[in-house]
Amino acid sequence: MKLGVSSYCFRQLMTSGEMDLIGVLDWVAASPAGHIEIAAMDGEYYLENEAVVRDTAKHAEEIGVPIVNYLVSGDLRSADSNEVDRLRRQLDVAHAFGATVFRHDVAPWAWREQDPGEFESTFAQVVEGCRAVADHAADLGIVSTIENHGFFMNGSERLARLVYAVDRPNFRVTLDLGNGLCVGEVPGKTAAGLIDVAASIGIKDFHIRRSAGEGWLKTLAGDYLLGTVTGHGDVDIPGLLALVATKPDVPVSLEFEGMEAPLPAIERSLANIIRLNESVA
């Protein structure tokens, strides 16, 4: 398994100024992780700071921590030309980082269609936008991906349908093994339905409850989720890792989003993934 870590795990420390991206790279280099994916979910920072991108790519190469995936927000519900152009420029950032995979959203995280007609009309626009982005990615030698993320473009059937509708050899999925829970899909179904079109994989764990207090996410199935150390929650991590093992060349990145202190939680998560993966090998 090609195990790495997402910079999203360090978002709390990066937001507070305790760590920057170079510091994150150094931490990863000293850990069992072999690569990093860079999550730029906070906006246009890397678009506006070419020197940071250049210095980060140089440092990553020097310390032997490849940047495999670059993740950004996106809204292609109307296939707006300005948004497509912005995503093309973000692709140029991914290329400058040296990433071979690019992941973008197609709608705001919390948005959900009101009825089947709205889904179908929005889906058609999303297909058009994803094709335009993927075509620019192909020029750069990059695989463009959509993640099963949020409440609209989530669930294995919707993601698989989008891949086949876009119909580009370099348009695939960044498969998050836990996110299907947000729309009431069990992780095993999500993974089985998307593993064959996955260009990268994100691994995380959740506590899952039928009722919960403040700070938990309510899913479309009425369950409540709370992120935690991978291996400490209710997700069947060994079962998912057994499926991931069938695609040994696809990079797998830890995404920790729990309430625990980040660095010990990331360390424990990586150790648990390695131990559990050995148990199913």
Side-chain angles (χ1 to χ4, degrees), residues 45-192:
Y45 178 77
Y46 297 117
L47 264 180
E48 298 167 353
N49 290 273
E50 292 182 11
V52 172
V53 175
R54 182 183 63 248
D55 292 347
T56 300
K58 183 174 183 291
H59 190 68
E61 183 176 7
E62 289 173 346
I63 64 174
V65 178
I67 299 168
V68 301
N69 196 0
Y70 178 57
L71 299 80
V72 303
S73 61
D75 186 356
L76 294 174
R77 289 175 295 170
S78 64
D80 178 74
S81 60
N82 290 329
E83 178 67 350
V84 170
D85 287 343
R86 185 187 71 85
L87 290 174
R88 285 171 175 151
R89 288 185 283 115
Q90 287 281 26
L91 266 166
D92 295 338
V93 173
H95 184 62
F97 270 133
T100 55
V101 180
F102 174 73
R103 169 268 198 210
H104 64 87
D105 283 328
V106 297
W109 180 86
W111 187 80
R112 181 78 176 185
E113 76 280 358
Q114 295 301 305
D115 54 57
E118 186 177 22
F119 173 79
E120 292 299 334
S121 61
T122 304
F123 184 83
Q125 297 281 45
V126 165
V127 169
E128 181 183 340
C130 287
R131 284 175 177 165
V133 175
D135 288 344
H136 184 61
D139 292 339
L140 300 172
I142 291 174
V143 176
S144 181
T145 71
I146 172 70
E147 181 181 345
N148 54 314
H149 186 236
F151 289 99
F152 168 59
M153 196 50 63
N154 201 342
S156 56
E157 293 179 3
R158 288 191 173 190
L159 269 289
R161 180 183 172 191
L162 181 61
V163 169
Y164 294 118
V166 172
D167 192 24
R168 295 292 190 270
N170 71 313
F171 183 73
R172 289 293 180 261
V173 169
T174 287
L175 166 59
D176 188 294
L177 295 173
N179 276 352
L181 287 164
C182 296
V183 293
E185 184 171 86
V186 295
K189 180 180 179 181
T190 303

Side-chain angles (χ1 to χ4, degrees), residues 109 151 182 206 212-213 215-219 222-226 257:
W109 180 86
F151 289 99
C182 296
F206 290 109
W216 293 63
L217 171 68
K218 187 176 183 179
T219 74
D223 294 318
Y224 290 83
L225 307 178
L226 183 68
E257 56 183 24

